[in-house]
Amino acid sequence: MKKIPILMYHNIAPAPRSKRLSSLYVHPHSFAWQMRLLSLLGYKGLAIHDLVPYLRGEKEGKVVGISFDDGYLDNYTEALPVLQKFGFTASCYLVSGLLGRSNLWAVGQDVQESPLMSTPQVRSWLDAGMSIGSHTHSHAHLCRIEPTLAAREIEESKAFLETSFQCPISDFCYPYGEFDAETIRLVRDAGYSTAVTTQRLRAKVGDDLHTLPRVHVTRRVTPPLFLAKLLTGYEDKHREAHA
Ligand SMILES: [Zn+2]
């Protein structure tokens, strides 16, 4: 079955020294060569919304999904110009209650504090042809909180983003990669047409659109490893959950 890698990024910035999750930082230079490599190989980078017809088998082509978790400001300042240069689109999963603030959910856990895009910056991201999705309202642990609270996190973030940005929000990303049968049902019932996980695999045609796996891009990825993750079963053999 045809594989369709969905790349998962967080920060596009130099990694902080000795902080937990610093591997999730991809240097702007690395992000630039990764996008250039995709382009040279004839791939088109697409937001998850744009990828759906390929995942459903309705369209064919050399495509790769590009996704950013949490909505960091550096996605706007560093990644956006590169995406535009190559004519790619990408999805950014926003924590709707923290726009213009920082990754407060991780503060106190030896994770670098990092600013998130503000409302005007998200508007510019959208005006540039990029896409946004929901990553809940407060970066909640959906499987640990009461189902009624989980439902609110999932539904209210969608309504909030739709009202703020006057665009449909159809894509979701599970915080901490945590999901179960109940959260999948809540996400589907809320009207999201896709949801991405942190399961390490290349997606493929016919996959369940509410539990899409992704390819992890970390700061240590070299060009040969990047290619192996995209083109071979490398990622499929290194399954693990990630924050
Ligand atoms: Zn997150």
Side-chain angles (χ1 to χ4, degrees):
M1 195 57 85
K2 184 160 169 40
K3 306 284 187 180
I4 302 177
I6 300 173
L7 303 179
M8 179 182 79
Y9 291 99
H10 287 75
N11 285 94
I12 304 299
R17 285 179 190 276
S18 70
K19 291 278 188 187
R20 202 168 71 82
L21 302 184
S22 61
S23 67
L24 296 179
Y25 279 71
V26 171
H27 196 284
H29 294 318
S30 300
F31 183 73
W33 68 246
Q34 287 161 15
M35 295 303 108
R36 185 175 302 115
L37 201 49
L38 287 178
S39 182
L40 284 171
L41 290 169
Y43 281 93
K44 187 161 176 60
L46 293 179
I48 306 309
H49 175 76
D50 300 328
L51 204 62
V52 168
Y54 296 91
L55 290 164
R56 286 195 175 132
E58 297 162 0
K59 263 188 179 182
E60 281 188 30
K62 290 177 83 171
V63 292
V64 170
I66 302 179
S67 66
F68 298 90
D69 288 17
D70 304 334
Y72 292 107
L73 175 57
D74 55 47
N75 298 171
Y76 175 70
T77 56
E78 302 295 338
L80 179 58
V82 178
L83 293 165
Q84 288 181 298
K85 180 177 170 186
F86 293 106
F88 293 170
T89 58
S91 291
C92 191
Y93 293 104
L94 304 171
V95 181
S96 54
L98 291 174
L99 298 181
R101 299 180 72 189
S102 65
N103 52 343
L104 296 173
W105 65 88
V107 168
Q109 298 170 45
D110 193 31
V111 172
Q112 172 88 6
E113 187 169 359
S114 184
L116 302 173
M117 275 191 233
S118 66
T119 298
Q121 287 156 348
V122 174
R123 284 213 179 93
S124 299
W125 171 269
L126 289 166
D127 288 345
M130 302 296 144
S131 180
I132 57 171
S134 166
H135 199 35
T136 72
H137 199 61
S138 69
H139 208 278
H141 283 283
L142 293 175
C143 299
R144 295 192 205 166
I145 59 178
E146 288 292 320
T148 49
L149 286 178
R152 275 180 56 183
E153 285 279 347
I154 291 164
E155 291 161 10
E156 287 183 8
S157 62
K158 186 175 194 292
F160 181 92
L161 293 172
E162 286 178 341
T163 303
S164 301
F165 301 109
Q166 296 295 302
C167 67
I169 300 295
S170 58
D171 306 300
F172 186 81
C173 175
Y174 302 100
Y176 310 98
E178 295 173 1
F179 65 95
D180 56 19
E182 176 69 5
T183 48
I184 295 168
R185 188 185 65 76
L186 290 171
V187 166
R188 195 177 283 134
D189 289 355
Y192 293 99
S193 47
T194 74
V196 291
T197 70
T198 55
Q199 189 191 5
R200 287 181 65 175
L201 266 181
R202 290 176 296 165
K204 60 183 188 308
V205 174
D207 270 356
D208 177 357
L209 294 180
H210 291 90
T211 53
L212 289 168
R214 290 186 288 175
V215 171
H216 293 198
V217 187
T218 62
R219 71 167 159 146
R220 289 183 195 85
V221 170
T222 57
L225 182 54
F226 186 71
L227 290 176
K229 281 170 172 271
L230 280 178
L231 305 174
T232 75
Y234 179 92
E235 195 75 358
D236 314 355
K237 291 184 203 120
H238 289 75
R239 299 182 189 198
E240 65 180 26
H242 214 304

